[in-house]
Amino acid sequence: MSEKKIRVLIAKPGLDGHDRGAKVVARALRDAGFEVIYTGLRQTPEQIVAAAIAEDVDAVGLSLLSGAHNYLFPRVIELLREQGADDILVFGGGVIPEEDIPGLKKAGVAEIFTPGTPTSETVKFLRERCGDKQ
Amino acid sequence: MNRDWGALLTRARAGDKRAVARLISGVEEGGGTARTVLDQVWPQTGHARVFGITGPPGAGKSTLTDALTKCWRQAGLRVGILAVDPTSPFTGGAILGDRVRMGDLTLDEGVFIRSMGTRGRLGGLSPASSGAIHILDACGYDLILVETVGVGQSEVAVVETADVVLVLTVPGLGDDVQAIKAGILEIGDLFAVNKADRPGADRTANELRTMLTLGETEKRDLPVLLVSAAQNQGVAELCQAMEQRFSQLEGSGELARRRELRLRSELLTQIRDGMERRLLDPLLEGADFQQAMERFQARQGSPYQWAEEFVRHINMGGSG
Ligand code: B12
Ligand SMILES: Nc1nc2c(ncn2[C@@H]2O[C@H](COP(=O)(O)OP(=O)(O)O)[C@@H](O)[C@H]2O)c(=O)[nH]1
Ligand SMILES: [Mg+2]
């Protein structure tokens, strides 16, 4: 009973109503043995950060298909930093143009997974980044 | 994980949610960490009222938890919420989705929500639920709501954890309140039919009242309320009814009896674990046990005979 489970918050920031991708990823992570906290649609960055802190997650995965990622993703990272929780890994996915990815990474997003990337990539990524936190 | 748990507890009690969250992770980790955390927290516990909410999947437990919490927040109480969802027995993973219905509470300073997976525990709660309750209690949450996984028939562990259990059902689940099977009915201190905005809620409530009349005498007059969590109808009344039930149980001495039983069972669990570690583990590792297994497998000596043999051994060596 004393193994450390990887806990991940999957969140949909902003007004974007596309939730299939987020649910696909949530299921894939569950099937890989992670504990996934799903908070549903239309979350503000403030809500996402508050939930991430109370749930003591290892990582926050943001899903966005509407195009507002360049504002919302960095905003989540900024708030985590303000609250002294920047040890929580932030990654993301959805419809995100190639040319936006370097800027997002510079802002602190650890990785972006775009349409067509197998979910096993995400699992592998999280195992590498959160697996040996003991 | 090595942390300064004492310092964390001080921060947590001063309202730092990150610290509260870390303490709960500590009890979820189990083993020595859980022990260290509970050693620290224990002297500060024993103040909160604990309400359990149980019922079939989709009955609206999370939606109602959200609505009830808003009600108690208006009364100025600080509310801690533990929302339990099932862990897959095959992968060990879980999707914890109760927060979807509680978005409004996320930014409320006086509310702490934690989602937990059952992590292999049967009964509808998580192995760390009681530890997490103690932490929320020690951190000054006046009221703790525990939402169990959707009940089938055996998810009744909440009764060993909560002071008052609310059983929730909804209209349209089939004949005779099928979803509330024997066992679930027994654990209720009060009942509510949610989704009263839908047709058939009255009938479901009446069926429930009939079933209660047929059961044990002391269940006969338990409240059955109609509520619509999504439309916030009947929620204030339900809030009140839950408080009333609490006071009744307190007045009759039943609450004290339950709390004593609960503490006793928590203590017994630890004693059992300790005995196992101290007496059973060395025995299982010893050569005697290996040899006994061989003979036992060859059908020399029944399970009872061998058990007696080993227990006698333990008694002789274990006088210290
Ligand atoms: C299905 C769909 C819809 C459905 C959504 C149903 C639902 N509940 O999700 C409906 C019909 C409702 C819809 C509506 C709209 N849509 Co639409 N929709 C699509 C479509 C065709 C497919 C999206 C999808 O579900 N894919 C399947 C899932 C599994 O893939 P995915 O979401 O990309 O997720 C994968 C990866 O991106 C990644 N991923 C995603 N999230 C995350 C998160 C993490 C943490 C990780 C690691 C990975 C990850 O992993 C997933 C699995 O590989 C896309 C086009 C496209 N090809 O993407 C347009 C699209 C997203 N929609 C679009 C638009 C404009 C709209 C509307 C505004 C249309 C309108 N004018 O009304 C509305 C807005 C709805 C709203 N409220 O936000 C545009 C967005 C344009 C943009 N970004 O600039 C797209 C790109 C179409 C286009 N080319 O114009 N839509
Ligand atoms: N019509 C109606 N739907 C409700 C009500 N309360 C909850 N629901 C819906 O029932 C579904 C399940 O609710 P949820 O709270 O997640 O149920 P849980 O599984 O018991 O926690 C959701 O779609 C809710 O919106 C209600 O009072 N009336
Ligand atoms: Mg629920």
Side-chain angles (χ1 to χ4, degrees):
Chain A
M1 268 303 132
S2 57
E3 102 237 45
K4 171 89 174 74
K5 275 238 165 22
I6 300 179
R7 282 168 68 88
V8 183
L9 178 75
I10 295 293
K12 292 242 6 122
L15 301 175
D16 175 26
H18 297 88
D19 61 357
R20 282 191 202 157
K23 286 179 173 165
V24 167
V25 171
R27 251 170 284 169
L29 296 182
R30 174 198 61 194
D31 293 345
F34 298 0
E35 261 178 14
V36 181
I37 294 100
Y38 181 63
T39 50
L41 292 172
R42 290 184 202 92
Q43 299 291 294
T44 63
E46 285 78 6
Q47 285 175 307
I48 292 169
V49 167
I53 286 176
E55 298 291 354
D56 197 19
V57 293
D58 302 291
V60 176
L62 303 169
S63 175
L64 210 57
L65 282 74
S66 71
H69 47 269
N70 284 334
Y71 168 69
L72 290 166
F73 287 14
R75 180 71 186 137
V76 168
I77 289 169
E78 192 181 302
L79 287 168
L80 282 171
R81 211 167 275 152
E82 272 172 24
Q83 304 194 26
D86 47 352
D87 55 311
I88 298 176
L89 186 77
V90 177
F91 64 110
V95 177
I96 291 166
E98 276 304 318
E99 62 264 29
D100 289 349
I101 294 178
L104 291 172
K105 286 197 171 168
K106 214 170 145 223
V109 182
E111 196 55 82
I112 295 285
F113 300 86
T114 49
T117 323
T119 51
S120 55
E121 297 274 316
T122 310
V123 170
K124 197 169 142 238
F125 163 80
L126 284 173
R127 285 223 173 96
E128 276 166 20
R129 296 294 294 263
C130 309
D132 48 9
K133 265 199 160 178
Q134 296 275 46
Chain B
M1 210 174 280
N2 282 319
R3 290 184 192 280
D4 183 348
W5 299 105
L8 264 183
L9 179 59
T10 309
R11 279 170 48 201
R13 281 168 57 81
D16 179 344
K17 288 192 176 175
R18 184 127 222 247
V20 181
R22 287 266 152 95
L23 290 170
I24 296 179
S25 299
V27 296
E28 282 208 295
E29 203 177 304
T33 308
R35 189 225 148 123
T36 314
V37 173
L38 273 188
D39 285 355
Q40 296 274 348
V41 163
W42 191 255
Q44 317 287 353
T45 59
H47 308 290
R49 290 184 282 170
V50 184
F51 287 162
I53 301 181
T54 192
K61 296 181 293 299
S62 303
T63 315
L64 185 65
T65 300
D66 179 79
L68 288 170
T69 301
K70 286 171 185 161
C71 191
W72 277 309
R73 287 297 293 145
Q74 273 175 9
L77 296 174
R78 300 180 73 220
V79 183
I81 298 171
L82 294 180
V84 188
D85 272 325
T87 296
S88 157
F90 303 107
T91 67
I95 293 181
L96 313 175
D98 294 317
R99 272 184 176 269
V100 172
R101 317 277 170 224
M102 304 181 195
D104 292 347
L105 302 175
T106 312
L107 293 175
D108 185 336
E109 270 312 306
V111 177
F112 189 96
I113 308 173
R114 181 66 169 235
S115 316
M116 302 180 106
T118 51
R119 296 197 182 182
R121 171 71 56 94
L122 301 174
L125 294 181
S126 139
S129 301
S130 61
I133 289 171
H134 294 318
I135 288 165
L136 292 173
D137 181 357
C139 294
Y141 290 93
D142 306 297
L143 236 157
I144 298 167
L145 298 181
V146 184
E147 177 190 340
T148 74
V149 303
V151 286
Q153 299 175 48
S154 58
E155 285 81 0
V156 295
V158 66
V159 77
E160 289 158 17
T161 312
D163 295 325
V164 175
V165 176
L166 169 70
V167 173
L168 196 65
T169 187
V170 281
L173 287 173
D175 299 335
D176 302 329
V177 204
Q178 266 305 316
I180 298 199
K181 301 256 165 58
I184 301 302
L185 209 60
E186 268 88 27
I187 66 171
D189 294 304
L190 76 167
F191 299 81
V193 178
N194 188 33
K195 310 199 185 182
D197 50 289
R198 292 209 185 144
D202 277 326
R203 219 191 99 204
T204 307
N206 283 332
E207 279 169 0
L208 203 53
R209 289 190 188 104
T210 312
M211 280 176 80
L212 289 171
T213 321
L214 298 174
E216 307 160 57
T217 31
E218 68 265 32
K219 295 265 163 190
R220 235 160 243 181
D221 300 316
L222 291 185
V224 177
L225 284 86
L226 286 168
V227 61
S228 170
Q231 301 186 359
N232 201 29
Q233 274 167 25
V235 176
E237 291 80 357
L238 180 55
C239 244
Q240 230 177 14
M242 289 171 79
E243 302 222 7
Q244 250 166 34
R245 270 310 273 153
F246 183 92
S247 304
Q248 275 171 9
L249 293 168
E250 196 175 32
S252 70
E254 171 65 12
L255 181 71
R257 197 192 62 89
R258 285 185 189 182
R259 286 183 166 180
E260 188 191 328
L261 270 180
R262 197 193 307 163
L263 289 183
R264 189 187 148 88
S265 123
E266 243 182 290
L267 182 58
L268 279 181
T269 306
Q270 292 315 321
I271 293 176
R272 249 180 231 119
D273 283 3
M275 283 183 160
E276 225 175 277
R277 271 194 307 274
R278 172 142 172 215
L279 301 173
L280 194 56
D281 291 357
L283 183 139
L284 293 179
E285 283 155 20
D288 284 356
F289 185 73
Q290 275 314 317
Q291 283 158 17
M293 263 310 282
E294 277 164 33
R295 291 172 57 195
F296 174 52
Q297 279 178 334
R299 295 300 187 266
Q300 297 170 20
S302 78
Y304 291 98
Q305 286 166 329
W306 280 114
E308 193 178 48
E309 180 70 24
F310 278 111
V311 170
R312 196 181 300 132
H313 241 82
I314 287 173
N315 279 342
M316 288 198 298
S319 58

